[in-house]
Amino acid sequence: MPGTSRDLTRLRTAITAFFALDGFLFAGWVVRIPAIKHQTGASAGDLGLALLGVSAGAVLTMTLTGRLCRRYGSHQVTVACAVLLSLSVALPPLTHSVLALGAVLLIFGAAYGGINVAFNSAAVDLVTALRRPIMPSFHAAFSLGGMVGAGLGGLVAGALSPTLHLAGLAVVGLLVTAVAAPTLLRHEPPSAPPPAPSAPSAPETSRRPQGRVRGLVIVFGLIAGCTAYGEGAMADWGALHLEQDLDASSGVAALGYTCFALAMTIGRLSGTALLERLGHGRTVVAGGATATAGMLLGSLAPSLWVALLGFAVTGLGLANLFPVAVERAGTLAGPSGVATASTFGYGGMLLGPPAIGFMADWLSLPVALTSVAALAAIATLIGLATRRAVPN
């Protein structure tokens, strides 16, 4: 069990590497969605149905990952899922039908859902041990990985086929896993330090009625779900919106997610300072309102460059909502609260894109993307209603 400052620093670095790898691989896949859509001859609705494979795989895995983490350890499960994720990212361009694409995305989704629950559990253990609000920094690594993955995808879109590109990402994923895994496998999750003598013997939330605690955890899970819905929509549909509706080239279309991810990374890197200055409640309200305005601009703007600005504003607004929601749920109910909020959040990320696809078929893609703004507004209202539910 890590007990020294050096051990905890190494553990933090390794967990951060897996967050970054997850974002890198996921973004590498999503920027090639337009090419794979063309390859399979799928309509927007067909593509939404295939993307449901990611959602189904992830949701099924999330229901099991908590048990696997309790039995084998969150560190071991993180490493195993990283290997599966790296291998499965190479599979989508090998398909030539919607059915086959959905099948391989089921595997990809299982790995993606599993690793997100596992490394969030590992991160929560470390945050508790350090007694510092560093959760945004882990999610900043995810966003930074997504920015790099999307930027690289934009650069190689015109030069490499999706098959070669995603095979290269699989190799990178396995190499990063080989380097970072030994640190996780050598150390057990750290324990929280004993409370200071002046600290109360039990948190205020422990005296709340259990039914109210569960209700508040679900509410914070809804904030996470509304936030992650926007992340998933931007990842899977942002590039297609720019290419299809605003006549952007494939390289420029990939820049849309890069702008979003860069803004989200900047927001999360400054997340700890923001939380210390504004508190959790006001951070949620300000972020949700910003994301609402940004996504209305990004989805309805008639100009490519104005849409890119809207994507960036959206990323800045959404940046810290998910980490705050997970932390608030953990304050109320400990690790089980974190697991519930994370499941809601990643469920929103993975179920959102298929919903966007169906709405795009019924209405249009720009109108469908305004649902991101609607859910950000709902998160804002929830933040206003619950800003005093848990102490900062």
Side-chain angles (χ1 to χ4, degrees):
M1 179 178 295
T4 68
S5 176
R6 175 179 290 185
D7 288 336
L8 293 176
T9 299
R10 289 174 176 170
L11 194 54
R12 181 179 179 180
T13 300
I15 295 172
T16 299
F18 282 109
F19 270 85
L21 177 63
D22 187 43
F24 177 76
L25 294 179
F26 188 74
W29 140 246
V30 300
V31 299
R32 302 315 297 256
I33 286 177
I36 293 174
K37 176 180 181 292
H38 177 74
Q39 174 181 301
T40 58
S43 67
D46 289 337
L47 180 61
L49 192 60
L51 292 173
L52 194 60
V54 180
S55 307
V59 170
L60 290 174
T61 303
M62 285 175 179
T63 61
L64 300 175
T65 301
R67 297 176 186 174
L68 293 174
C69 288
R70 287 192 294 271
R71 180 169 182 177
Y72 299 106
S74 60
H75 294 179
Q76 288 79 0
V77 176
T78 296
V79 172
C81 290
V83 172
L84 181 58
L85 184 70
S86 299
L87 294 174
S88 62
V89 77
L91 299 179
L94 303 181
T95 64
H96 296 278
S97 70
V98 173
L99 183 61
L101 179 61
V104 301
L105 290 181
L106 187 70
I107 301 172
F108 181 74
Y112 183 76
I115 195 172
N116 276 281
V117 171
F119 64 37
N120 268 293
S121 298
V124 167
D125 289 333
L126 185 59
V127 168
T128 302
L130 292 174
R131 291 190 181 277
R132 292 189 58 210
I134 62 168
M135 184 63 88
S137 70
F138 293 115
H139 291 268
F142 173 85
S143 298
L144 181 60
M147 181 190 69
V148 173
L152 178 64
L155 289 175
V156 306
L160 292 181
S161 68
T163 301
L164 290 177
H165 175 203
L166 297 187
L169 296 188
V171 173
V172 171
L174 293 173
L175 289 175
V176 171
T177 301
V179 171
T183 299
L184 285 190
L185 297 178
R186 281 198 305 265
H187 296 105
E188 293 294 323
S191 299
S198 60
S201 58
E204 176 70 21
T205 54
S206 67
R207 296 193 292 270
R208 296 175 186 269
Q210 287 301 308
R212 184 170 182 236
V213 169
R214 284 193 295 270
L216 285 171
V217 167
I218 291 174
V219 165
F220 287 122
L222 290 174
I223 293 177
C226 290
T227 303
Y229 178 99
E231 292 188 55
M234 290 299 302
D236 282 8
W237 293 103
L240 190 61
H241 167 56
L242 297 180
E243 187 173 327
Q244 172 182 291
D245 300 313
L246 297 175
D247 298 322
S249 66
S250 59
V252 174
L255 184 62
Y257 186 71
T258 304
C259 292
F260 173 81
L262 175 61
M264 181 166 278
T265 301
I266 293 170
R268 285 176 169 173
L269 286 173
S270 59
T272 297
L274 187 66
L275 288 171
E276 290 173 346
R277 184 175 182 86
L278 297 181
H280 294 80
R282 283 188 288 176
T283 297
V284 170
V285 172
T290 300
T292 300
M295 198 61 225
L296 287 174
L297 186 64
S299 58
L300 301 178
S303 163
L304 172 64
W305 300 109
V306 175
L308 290 175
L309 175 62
F311 285 5
V313 173
T314 302
L316 197 62
L318 293 179
N320 292 301
L321 300 191
F322 185 90
V324 167
V326 170
E327 184 181 341
R328 297 291 81 192
T331 301
L332 284 167
S336 64
V338 172
T340 299
S342 297
T343 300
F344 269 90
Y346 288 107
M349 176 179 284
L350 297 166
L351 292 173
I356 294 284
F358 296 137
M359 285 188 286
D361 263 3
W362 296 333
L363 303 168
S364 69
L365 184 52
V367 172
L369 287 173
T370 62
S371 63
V372 175
L375 289 182
I378 290 173
T380 304
L381 294 175
I382 294 174
L384 280 170
T386 60
R387 64 189 184 279
R388 294 187 179 90
V390 184
N392 284 309

